[in-house]
Coordinates of all heavy atoms in Angstrom, one line a residue:
M1 N -56.5 -98.1 -38.0 CA -56.6 -96.8 -38.8 C -55.7 -95.9 -38.2 O -55.6 -95.7 -37.0 CB -58.1 -96.4 -38.6 CG -58.5 -95.2 -39.3 SD -60.2 -94.9 -39.1 CE -60.5 -93.8 -40.4
T2 N -55.0 -95.1 -39.1 CA -54.0 -94.2 -38.7 C -54.7 -92.8 -38.6 O -55.7 -92.5 -39.4 CB -52.8 -94.1 -39.6 OG1 -53.3 -93.8 -40.9 CG2 -52.1 -95.5 -39.7
S3 N -54.2 -91.9 -37.9 CA -54.7 -90.6 -37.7 C -54.1 -89.8 -38.9 O -53.1 -90.1 -39.5 CB -54.2 -89.9 -36.5 OG -52.8 -89.8 -36.4
P4 N -54.9 -88.7 -39.4 CA -54.4 -88.0 -40.6 C -53.1 -87.3 -40.2 O -52.9 -86.8 -39.1 CB -55.5 -87.0 -40.8 CG -56.3 -86.9 -39.5 CD -56.1 -88.2 -38.8
A5 N -52.3 -87.3 -41.2 CA -50.9 -86.7 -41.0 C -51.1 -85.1 -41.1 O -51.8 -84.6 -41.9 CB -50.0 -87.1 -42.1
R6 N -50.3 -84.5 -40.2 CA -50.4 -83.1 -40.2 C -49.4 -82.6 -41.2 O -48.3 -83.1 -41.4 CB -49.9 -82.5 -38.8 CG -51.0 -82.7 -37.7 CD -50.5 -82.1 -36.5 NE -50.6 -80.6 -36.5 CZ -50.0 -79.7 -35.8 NH1 -49.3 -80.1 -34.8 NH2 -50.2 -78.5 -35.9
P7 N -49.7 -81.5 -41.9 CA -48.8 -80.9 -42.9 C -47.6 -80.4 -42.1 O -47.6 -80.0 -40.9 CB -49.5 -79.8 -43.5 CG -50.7 -79.4 -42.5 CD -50.9 -80.7 -41.8
P8 N -46.4 -80.4 -42.7 CA -45.2 -79.9 -42.1 C -45.3 -78.4 -41.8 O -46.0 -77.7 -42.5 CB -44.1 -80.2 -43.0 CG -44.7 -80.4 -44.3 CD -46.1 -80.9 -44.0
A9 N -44.7 -78.0 -40.6 CA -44.7 -76.6 -40.3 C -44.0 -75.8 -41.4 O -43.0 -76.3 -41.9 CB -44.2 -76.4 -38.9
N10 N -44.4 -74.6 -41.5 CA -43.6 -73.8 -42.5 C -42.3 -73.3 -41.9 O -42.2 -73.4 -40.6 CB -44.4 -72.6 -43.0 CG -44.6 -71.5 -42.0 OD1 -43.7 -71.2 -41.1 ND2 -45.7 -70.9 -41.9
P11 N -41.3 -73.0 -42.6 CA -40.0 -72.7 -42.2 C -39.9 -71.6 -41.1 O -39.1 -71.7 -40.2 CB -39.1 -72.3 -43.4 CG -39.9 -73.0 -44.5 CD -41.4 -72.9 -44.1
G12 N -40.7 -70.6 -41.2 CA -40.7 -69.6 -40.2 C -41.2 -70.1 -38.9 O -40.6 -69.7 -37.8
V13 N -42.2 -70.9 -38.8 CA -42.6 -71.5 -37.6 C -41.6 -72.5 -37.0 O -41.3 -72.5 -35.8 CB -44.0 -72.3 -37.8 CG1 -44.4 -73.0 -36.5 CG2 -45.1 -71.3 -38.1
Q14 N -41.0 -73.2 -37.9 CA -39.9 -74.2 -37.4 C -38.8 -73.5 -36.8 O -38.3 -73.8 -35.7 CB -39.4 -75.0 -38.6 CG -40.3 -76.1 -39.0 CD -39.8 -76.9 -40.2 OE1 -38.9 -76.5 -40.8 NE2 -40.2 -78.1 -40.2
D15 N -38.3 -72.4 -37.4 CA -37.2 -71.6 -36.9 C -37.6 -71.0 -35.5 O -36.8 -71.1 -34.6 CB -36.8 -70.5 -37.9 CG -35.6 -69.7 -37.4 OD1 -34.6 -70.3 -37.1 OD2 -35.7 -68.5 -37.3
L16 N -38.8 -70.4 -35.4 CA -39.2 -69.8 -34.2 C -39.4 -70.9 -33.1 O -38.9 -70.7 -31.9 CB -40.5 -69.1 -34.4 CG -41.1 -68.3 -33.2 CD1 -40.0 -67.4 -32.6 CD2 -42.4 -67.6 -33.5
A17 N -39.9 -72.0 -33.5 CA -40.1 -73.1 -32.5 C -38.8 -73.5 -32.0 O -38.6 -73.9 -30.8 CB -40.9 -74.2 -33.1
S18 N -37.8 -73.7 -32.9 CA -36.5 -74.1 -32.4 C -35.8 -73.2 -31.4 O -35.2 -73.5 -30.5 CB -35.5 -74.4 -33.6 OG -35.2 -73.2 -34.2
R19 N -36.0 -71.9 -31.7 CA -35.5 -70.9 -30.8 C -36.2 -70.9 -29.4 O -35.6 -70.8 -28.4 CB -35.7 -69.5 -31.4 CG -34.7 -69.2 -32.6 CD -35.0 -67.9 -33.1 NE -34.2 -67.8 -34.4 CZ -33.9 -66.6 -34.9 NH1 -34.2 -65.5 -34.2 NH2 -33.2 -66.6 -36.0
I20 N -37.5 -71.1 -29.5 CA -38.3 -71.2 -28.2 C -37.9 -72.5 -27.5 O -37.7 -72.5 -26.3 CB -39.8 -71.3 -28.5 CG1 -40.3 -69.9 -29.0 CG2 -40.6 -71.7 -27.3 CD1 -41.7 -69.9 -29.6
Y21 N -37.7 -73.6 -28.2 CA -37.3 -74.9 -27.6 C -36.0 -74.7 -26.9 O -35.8 -75.1 -25.7 CB -37.2 -75.9 -28.6 CG -36.8 -77.3 -28.0 CD1 -37.7 -78.1 -27.3 CD2 -35.5 -77.8 -28.2 CE1 -37.4 -79.3 -26.8 CE2 -35.1 -79.0 -27.7 CZ -36.0 -79.8 -27.0 OH -35.7 -81.0 -26.5
I22 N -35.0 -74.1 -27.5 CA -33.7 -73.9 -26.9 C -33.8 -73.0 -25.6 O -33.2 -73.4 -24.6 CB -32.7 -73.2 -27.9 CG1 -32.4 -74.2 -29.0 CG2 -31.4 -72.7 -27.3 CD1 -31.7 -73.5 -30.2
E23 N -34.6 -72.0 -25.6 CA -34.9 -71.2 -24.5 C -35.5 -72.0 -23.4 O -35.1 -71.9 -22.2 CB -35.7 -70.0 -24.8 CG -35.9 -69.0 -23.7 CD -34.6 -68.2 -23.4 OE1 -33.7 -68.1 -24.2 OE2 -34.5 -67.9 -22.2
L24 N -36.5 -72.8 -23.7 CA -37.2 -73.5 -22.7 C -36.3 -74.6 -22.1 O -36.3 -74.8 -20.8 CB -38.5 -74.2 -23.3 CG -39.6 -73.3 -23.6 CD1 -40.8 -74.1 -24.3 CD2 -40.1 -72.6 -22.4
V25 N -35.6 -75.3 -22.9 CA -34.7 -76.3 -22.3 C -33.6 -75.7 -21.5 O -33.3 -76.2 -20.4 CB -34.0 -77.1 -23.5 CG1 -32.8 -78.0 -23.0 CG2 -35.0 -78.0 -24.2
G26 N -33.1 -74.5 -21.9 CA -32.1 -73.8 -21.0 C -32.7 -73.4 -19.7 O -32.0 -73.5 -18.7
R27 N -33.9 -73.1 -19.7 CA -34.5 -72.7 -18.4 C -34.9 -73.9 -17.6 O -35.0 -73.8 -16.3 CB -35.8 -71.8 -18.6 CG -35.4 -70.5 -19.2 CD -36.6 -69.6 -19.5 NE -36.2 -68.4 -20.2 CZ -36.2 -67.2 -19.5 NH1 -36.6 -67.1 -18.3 NH2 -35.8 -66.1 -20.2
A28 N -35.2 -75.0 -18.2 CA -35.7 -76.2 -17.5 C -34.6 -77.1 -17.0 O -34.8 -78.1 -16.3 CB -36.7 -77.0 -18.4
F29 N -33.4 -76.8 -17.6 CA -32.2 -77.6 -17.2 C -31.9 -77.5 -15.8 O -31.7 -76.4 -15.3 CB -31.0 -77.2 -18.1 CG -29.8 -78.0 -18.0 CD1 -29.7 -79.2 -18.6 CD2 -28.7 -77.5 -17.3 CE1 -28.6 -80.0 -18.5 CE2 -27.6 -78.3 -17.2 CZ -27.5 -79.5 -17.8
L30 N -31.7 -78.5 -15.1 CA -31.4 -78.5 -13.6 C -30.2 -79.4 -13.4 O -30.1 -80.5 -13.7 CB -32.6 -79.2 -12.9 CG -32.6 -79.2 -11.4 CD1 -32.5 -77.8 -10.8 CD2 -33.8 -79.9 -10.8
R31 N -29.3 -78.8 -12.6 CA -28.0 -79.5 -12.3 C -27.9 -79.6 -10.8 O -27.9 -78.6 -10.1 CB -26.8 -78.8 -12.9 CG -25.6 -79.5 -12.6 CD -24.4 -78.8 -13.2 NE -23.2 -79.6 -12.8 CZ -22.0 -79.3 -13.2 NH1 -21.8 -78.3 -14.0 NH2 -20.9 -80.1 -12.9
T32 N -27.9 -80.9 -10.3 CA -27.8 -81.1 -8.9 C -26.8 -82.2 -8.6 O -26.8 -83.3 -9.4 CB -29.1 -81.5 -8.3 OG1 -29.6 -82.6 -9.0 CG2 -30.1 -80.4 -8.3
D33 N -25.9 -82.1 -7.7 CA -24.9 -83.1 -7.4 C -24.2 -83.8 -8.5 O -24.2 -85.0 -8.7 CB -25.6 -84.2 -6.5 CG -26.2 -83.6 -5.2 OD1 -25.6 -82.7 -4.6 OD2 -27.2 -84.1 -4.8
N34 N -23.7 -82.9 -9.4 CA -22.9 -83.4 -10.6 C -23.8 -84.3 -11.6 O -23.3 -85.1 -12.3 CB -21.7 -84.1 -10.3 CG -20.7 -83.2 -9.6 OD1 -20.7 -82.0 -10.0 ND2 -19.9 -83.8 -8.8
T35 N -25.2 -84.1 -11.5 CA -26.0 -84.8 -12.5 C -26.9 -83.7 -13.1 O -27.2 -82.6 -12.6 CB -26.9 -85.8 -11.9 OG1 -27.7 -85.2 -10.8 CG2 -26.1 -87.0 -11.2
A36 N -27.2 -84.0 -14.4 CA -28.0 -83.0 -15.1 C -29.4 -83.6 -15.4 O -29.5 -84.8 -15.7 CB -27.4 -82.6 -16.4
A37 N -30.4 -82.9 -15.3 CA -31.8 -83.3 -15.6 C -32.6 -82.2 -16.2 O -32.4 -81.1 -15.8 CB -32.4 -83.9 -14.3
I38 N -33.5 -82.6 -17.0 CA -34.5 -81.6 -17.6 C -35.8 -82.1 -17.0 O -36.3 -83.2 -17.2 CB -34.6 -81.7 -19.2 CG1 -33.2 -81.3 -19.7 CG2 -35.7 -80.8 -19.6 CD1 -33.2 -81.4 -21.2
K39 N -36.3 -81.2 -16.2 CA -37.6 -81.5 -15.4 C -38.7 -81.9 -16.4 O -39.2 -83.0 -16.3 CB -37.9 -80.5 -14.4 CG -37.2 -80.6 -13.1 CD -37.6 -81.9 -12.5 CE -37.0 -82.1 -11.1 NZ -37.2 -83.4 -10.6
P40 N -39.2 -81.0 -17.2 CA -40.3 -81.4 -18.1 C -39.6 -82.4 -19.1 O -38.5 -82.2 -19.5 CB -40.8 -80.1 -18.7 CG -40.2 -79.0 -17.9 CD -39.0 -79.6 -17.3
E41 N -40.4 -83.2 -19.7 CA -40.0 -84.1 -20.8 C -39.6 -83.3 -22.0 O -40.3 -82.3 -22.4 CB -41.0 -85.1 -21.2 CG -41.3 -86.2 -20.1 CD -40.1 -87.1 -20.0 OE1 -39.5 -87.4 -21.0 OE2 -39.8 -87.3 -18.8
P42 N -38.4 -83.5 -22.6 CA -38.0 -82.8 -23.8 C -39.1 -82.8 -24.9 O -39.2 -81.8 -25.6 CB -36.7 -83.5 -24.2 CG -36.2 -84.0 -23.0 CD -37.4 -84.4 -22.2
A43 N -39.7 -84.0 -25.2 CA -40.8 -84.0 -26.2 C -41.9 -83.1 -25.8 O -42.5 -82.5 -26.8 CB -41.3 -85.5 -26.3
E44 N -42.3 -82.9 -24.6 CA -43.4 -82.1 -24.2 C -43.0 -80.6 -24.5 O -43.7 -79.8 -24.9 CB -43.8 -82.3 -22.8 CG -44.5 -83.5 -22.5 CD -45.7 -83.8 -23.4 OE1 -46.5 -82.8 -23.5 OE2 -45.8 -84.9 -24.0
L45 N -41.7 -80.3 -24.2 CA -41.2 -78.9 -24.5 C -41.2 -78.7 -26.0 O -41.5 -77.5 -26.4 CB -39.8 -78.8 -23.9 CG -39.6 -78.7 -22.4 CD1 -38.2 -78.6 -22.0 CD2 -40.4 -77.6 -21.9
A46 N -40.9 -79.7 -26.8 CA -40.9 -79.5 -28.2 C -42.3 -79.2 -28.8 O -42.5 -78.3 -29.5 CB -40.3 -80.7 -29.0
K47 N -43.3 -80.0 -28.3 CA -44.6 -79.7 -28.6 C -45.1 -78.3 -28.2 O -45.8 -77.6 -29.0 CB -45.6 -80.8 -28.0 CG -45.5 -82.2 -28.5 CD -46.4 -83.1 -27.8 CE -46.2 -84.5 -28.1 NZ -47.0 -85.4 -27.3
L48 N -44.8 -78.0 -27.0 CA -45.1 -76.6 -26.6 C -44.5 -75.6 -27.4 O -45.1 -74.5 -27.7 CB -44.7 -76.5 -25.1 CG -44.9 -75.1 -24.4 CD1 -46.5 -74.8 -24.4 CD2 -44.4 -75.1 -23.1
S49 N -43.2 -75.8 -27.8 CA -42.5 -74.8 -28.6 C -43.2 -74.6 -29.9 O -43.4 -73.4 -30.4 CB -41.1 -75.3 -28.9 OG -40.4 -75.4 -27.7
F50 N -43.7 -75.7 -30.6 CA -44.4 -75.5 -31.8 C -45.8 -74.8 -31.6 O -46.2 -74.0 -32.4 CB -44.6 -76.8 -32.5 CG -43.5 -77.2 -33.4 CD1 -42.4 -78.0 -33.0 CD2 -43.4 -76.6 -34.7 CE1 -41.4 -78.4 -33.8 CE2 -42.3 -77.0 -35.5 CZ -41.3 -77.8 -35.1
Q51 N -46.5 -75.2 -30.5 CA -47.7 -74.5 -30.3 C -47.5 -73.0 -30.1 O -48.4 -72.2 -30.6 CB -48.4 -75.2 -29.1 CG -48.9 -76.5 -29.3 CD -49.4 -77.2 -28.0 OE1 -49.1 -76.7 -26.9 NE2 -50.0 -78.4 -28.1
L52 N -46.5 -72.7 -29.3 CA -46.3 -71.3 -29.0 C -45.9 -70.5 -30.3 O -46.3 -69.4 -30.6 CB -45.2 -71.1 -28.0 CG -45.6 -71.5 -26.6 CD1 -44.3 -71.4 -25.7 CD2 -46.6 -70.6 -26.0
A53 N -45.0 -71.2 -31.2 CA -44.6 -70.5 -32.4 C -45.8 -70.4 -33.4 O -45.9 -69.3 -33.9 CB -43.5 -71.4 -33.0
E54 N -46.7 -71.3 -33.4 CA -47.8 -71.2 -34.4 C -48.7 -70.2 -33.9 O -49.3 -69.3 -34.6 CB -48.6 -72.6 -34.5 CG -47.8 -73.6 -35.3 CD -48.4 -75.0 -35.2 OE1 -49.4 -75.2 -34.4 OE2 -47.9 -75.8 -36.0
T55 N -49.0 -70.0 -32.6 CA -49.8 -69.1 -32.0 C -49.2 -67.7 -32.3 O -50.0 -66.7 -32.6 CB -50.1 -69.3 -30.5 OG1 -50.6 -70.5 -30.4 CG2 -50.9 -68.1 -29.9
F56 N -47.9 -67.6 -32.1 CA -47.3 -66.3 -32.3 C -47.4 -65.8 -33.7 O -47.7 -64.7 -34.0 CB -45.8 -66.3 -31.9 CG -45.0 -65.1 -32.1 CD1 -45.0 -64.1 -31.1 CD2 -44.3 -64.9 -33.3 CE1 -44.4 -62.9 -31.3 CE2 -43.7 -63.7 -33.5 CZ -43.6 -62.7 -32.5
R57 N -47.2 -66.7 -34.7 CA -47.2 -66.4 -36.1 C -48.7 -66.0 -36.5 O -48.8 -65.1 -37.3 CB -46.8 -67.4 -37.0 CG -45.3 -67.7 -36.9 CD -44.4 -66.5 -37.4 NE -43.0 -66.9 -37.3 CZ -42.1 -66.0 -37.2 NH1 -42.4 -64.7 -37.1 NH2 -40.8 -66.4 -37.1
R58 N -49.7 -66.7 -36.0 CA -51.0 -66.3 -36.3 C -51.4 -64.9 -35.7 O -52.0 -64.1 -36.5 CB -52.0 -67.3 -35.7 CG -52.3 -68.5 -36.5 CD -53.6 -69.2 -36.1 NE -53.5 -69.6 -34.7 CZ -53.0 -70.7 -34.2 NH1 -52.4 -71.6 -35.0 NH2 -53.0 -71.0 -32.9
T59 N -51.0 -64.6 -34.5 CA -51.3 -63.3 -33.9 C -50.5 -62.2 -34.6 O -51.0 -61.1 -34.8 CB -50.9 -63.4 -32.4 OG1 -51.6 -64.4 -31.7 CG2 -51.2 -62.1 -31.8
E60 N -49.3 -62.6 -35.0 CA -48.4 -61.6 -35.8 C -49.1 -61.3 -37.1 O -49.2 -60.1 -37.5 CB -47.1 -62.2 -36.0 CG -46.1 -61.3 -36.8 CD -44.8 -62.0 -37.1 OE1 -44.8 -63.2 -37.5 OE2 -43.8 -61.4 -36.9
A61 N -49.6 -62.3 -37.8 CA -50.3 -62.0 -39.0 C -51.6 -61.1 -38.8 O -51.9 -60.2 -39.6 CB -50.7 -63.3 -39.7
T62 N -52.3 -61.4 -37.7 CA -53.5 -60.6 -37.4 C -53.1 -59.1 -37.1 O -53.8 -58.2 -37.7 CB -54.3 -61.2 -36.3 OG1 -54.6 -62.5 -36.6 CG2 -55.5 -60.4 -35.9
V63 N -52.2 -58.9 -36.4 CA -51.7 -57.6 -36.0 C -51.2 -56.8 -37.2 O -51.6 -55.7 -37.3 CB -50.6 -57.6 -34.9 CG1 -50.0 -56.3 -34.7 CG2 -51.2 -58.1 -33.6
N64 N -50.4 -57.6 -38.1 CA -49.9 -56.9 -39.2 C -51.0 -56.5 -40.2 O -50.9 -55.5 -40.8 CB -48.9 -57.8 -40.0 CG -47.6 -57.8 -39.2 OD1 -47.2 -57.0 -38.4 ND2 -46.8 -58.9 -39.5
A65 N -52.0 -57.4 -40.4 CA -53.1 -57.1 -41.2 C -53.9 -55.9 -40.7 O -54.4 -55.1 -41.5 CB -54.0 -58.3 -41.3
A66 N -54.1 -55.8 -39.4 CA -54.8 -54.6 -38.8 C -54.0 -53.4 -39.0 O -54.6 -52.3 -39.1 CB -55.1 -54.9 -37.4
A67 N -52.7 -53.4 -39.0 CA -51.9 -52.2 -39.2 C -51.7 -51.8 -40.7 O -51.3 -50.7 -41.0 CB -50.5 -52.5 -38.6
A68 N -52.1 -52.7 -41.7 CA -51.9 -52.4 -43.0 C -52.9 -51.3 -43.5 O -54.0 -51.2 -42.9 CB -52.1 -53.6 -43.8
P69 N -52.6 -50.6 -44.5 CA -53.6 -49.6 -45.0 C -54.9 -50.3 -45.4 O -54.9 -51.4 -45.9 CB -52.9 -49.1 -46.4 CG -51.5 -49.4 -46.2 CD -51.4 -50.7 -45.4
Q70 N -56.0 -49.6 -45.0 CA -57.3 -50.2 -45.3 C -58.0 -49.4 -46.4 O -57.8 -48.2 -46.6 CB -58.2 -50.0 -44.0 CG -57.6 -50.6 -42.8 CD -57.5 -52.1 -42.9 OE1 -58.5 -52.8 -43.3 NE2 -56.4 -52.7 -42.4
N71 N -58.7 -50.1 -47.2 CA -59.4 -49.6 -48.3 C -60.7 -48.9 -47.7 O -61.5 -49.5 -47.0 CB -59.9 -50.6 -49.3 CG -60.6 -50.0 -50.5 OD1 -60.8 -48.9 -50.6 ND2 -60.9 -50.9 -51.5
V72 N -60.8 -47.5 -47.9 CA -61.9 -46.7 -47.3 C -63.0 -46.5 -48.3 O -63.8 -45.6 -48.1 CB -61.4 -45.4 -46.7 CG1 -60.5 -45.8 -45.5 CG2 -60.6 -44.7 -47.7
G73 N -63.0 -47.3 -49.4 CA -64.2 -47.2 -50.3 C -63.9 -46.3 -51.5 O -64.9 -45.8 -52.2
Y74 N -62.6 -46.0 -51.8 CA -62.4 -45.2 -53.0 C -62.5 -46.1 -54.2 O -62.1 -47.2 -54.3 CB -61.0 -44.6 -53.0 CG -60.8 -43.6 -52.0 CD1 -60.1 -43.8 -50.8 CD2 -61.4 -42.3 -52.1 CE1 -59.9 -42.9 -49.8 CE2 -61.2 -41.3 -51.1 CZ -60.5 -41.7 -50.0 OH -60.2 -40.7 -49.0
K75 N -63.2 -45.6 -55.3 CA -63.3 -46.3 -56.5 C -62.7 -45.5 -57.6 O -63.1 -44.4 -57.9 CB -64.8 -46.6 -56.8 CG -65.0 -47.4 -58.1 CD -66.5 -47.7 -58.3 CE -66.6 -48.5 -59.5 NZ -67.9 -48.8 -59.9
V76 N -61.7 -46.1 -58.3 CA -61.0 -45.4 -59.4 C -61.2 -46.2 -60.7 O -60.9 -47.4 -60.7 CB -59.5 -45.2 -59.1 CG1 -58.8 -44.6 -60.2 CG2 -59.3 -44.5 -57.9
D77 N -61.8 -45.6 -61.7 CA -62.0 -46.2 -62.9 C -60.9 -45.8 -63.9 O -60.1 -44.8 -63.7 CB -63.4 -45.8 -63.5 CG -64.5 -46.3 -62.7 OD1 -64.4 -47.5 -62.2 OD2 -65.6 -45.6 -62.6
L78 N -60.8 -46.5 -65.0 CA -59.9 -46.2 -66.1 C -60.1 -44.8 -66.6 O -59.2 -44.1 -67.0 CB -60.0 -47.2 -67.2 CG -59.3 -48.6 -66.9 CD1 -59.6 -49.6 -68.1 CD2 -57.9 -48.5 -66.6
A79 N -61.3 -44.4 -66.7 CA -61.7 -43.0 -67.1 C -61.0 -42.0 -66.3 O -60.5 -40.9 -66.7 CB -63.2 -42.9 -67.3
D80 N -61.1 -42.2 -65.0 CA -60.5 -41.3 -64.0 C -58.9 -41.2 -64.3 O -58.4 -40.1 -64.2 CB -60.8 -41.7 -62.6 CG -62.2 -41.7 -62.3 OD1 -62.9 -40.9 -62.8 OD2 -62.7 -42.6 -61.5
M81 N -58.3 -42.3 -64.5 CA -56.9 -42.3 -64.7 C -56.5 -41.6 -66.1 O -55.5 -41.0 -66.2 CB -56.3 -43.7 -64.7 CG -56.3 -44.4 -63.3 SD -55.4 -45.9 -63.3 CE -56.8 -47.0 -63.4
A82 N -57.4 -41.7 -67.1 CA -57.1 -41.1 -68.3 C -57.1 -39.5 -68.2 O -56.4 -38.9 -68.8 CB -58.2 -41.5 -69.3
K83 N -58.0 -39.0 -67.2 CA -58.0 -37.6 -67.0 C -56.7 -37.1 -66.3 O -56.4 -35.9 -66.5 CB -59.2 -37.3 -66.1 CG -60.5 -37.5 -66.7 CD -61.6 -37.3 -65.7 CE -63.0 -37.7 -66.2 NZ -64.0 -37.6 -65.1
W84 N -56.0 -38.0 -65.7 CA -54.7 -37.6 -65.0 C -53.7 -37.2 -66.1 O -52.8 -36.4 -65.7 CB -54.2 -38.6 -64.1 CG -55.1 -39.0 -62.9 CD1 -56.2 -38.3 -62.5 CD2 -55.1 -40.2 -62.2 NE1 -56.8 -39.0 -61.4 CE2 -56.1 -40.1 -61.2 CE3 -54.3 -41.3 -62.2 CZ2 -56.3 -41.1 -60.3 CZ3 -54.5 -42.3 -61.2 CH2 -55.5 -42.2 -60.3
D85 N -53.7 -37.8 -67.3 CA -52.7 -37.5 -68.3 C -52.9 -36.1 -68.9 O -52.0 -35.7 -69.6 CB -52.8 -38.6 -69.3 CG -52.2 -40.0 -68.8 OD1 -51.4 -40.0 -67.9 OD2 -52.6 -41.0 -69.4
K86 N -54.0 -35.5 -68.8 CA -54.3 -34.3 -69.4 C -53.7 -33.1 -68.7 O -53.4 -33.0 -67.6 CB -55.8 -34.0 -69.5 CG -56.5 -35.0 -70.4 CD -57.9 -34.8 -70.5 CE -58.6 -35.8 -71.5 NZ -60.0 -35.7 -71.7

């Protein structure tokens, strides 16, 4: 039995994840005695990059929604708008 396939990440998350991945790999890259190594596994860094990008986008959406104008209970009917023309 196979596990359910995850939907592909949206392009905004993919772009952010790739930027995070590049930054993480650059920081994890270790050069010693003319050899290069990445201490954490690159696949684990890629997973972490997507998790961080998804968390960032969710939080960004929450913050943007909170900053948007809020409906404070005004009710405008068509009759009210008709009075504006007079």
Side-chain angles (χ1 to χ4, degrees):
M1 183 175 197
T2 61
S3 63
R6 286 186 74 194
N10 73 36
V13 170
Q14 285 181 337
D15 182 53
L16 181 58
S18 69
R19 291 177 188 206
I20 292 171
Y21 180 77
I22 290 168
E23 185 68 29
L24 290 176
V25 168
R27 291 173 185 256
F29 186 76
L30 180 64
R31 183 177 177 177
T32 56
D33 300 325
N34 291 332
T35 60
I38 297 176
K39 276 300 187 186
E41 289 294 318
E44 292 301 316
L45 289 178
K47 288 179 191 175
L48 177 61
S49 298
F50 272 98
Q51 290 171 348
L52 291 171
E54 288 172 351
T55 301
F56 180 84
R57 292 296 184 207
R58 273 196 308 271
T59 304
E60 180 183 44
T62 302
V63 169
N64 287 343
Q70 303 294 318
N71 185 355
V72 291
Y74 294 108
K75 183 177 179 185
V76 179
D77 292 326
L78 286 175
D80 296 327
M81 286 188 262
K83 293 177 189 174
W84 297 344
D85 290 334
K86 294 182 181 179

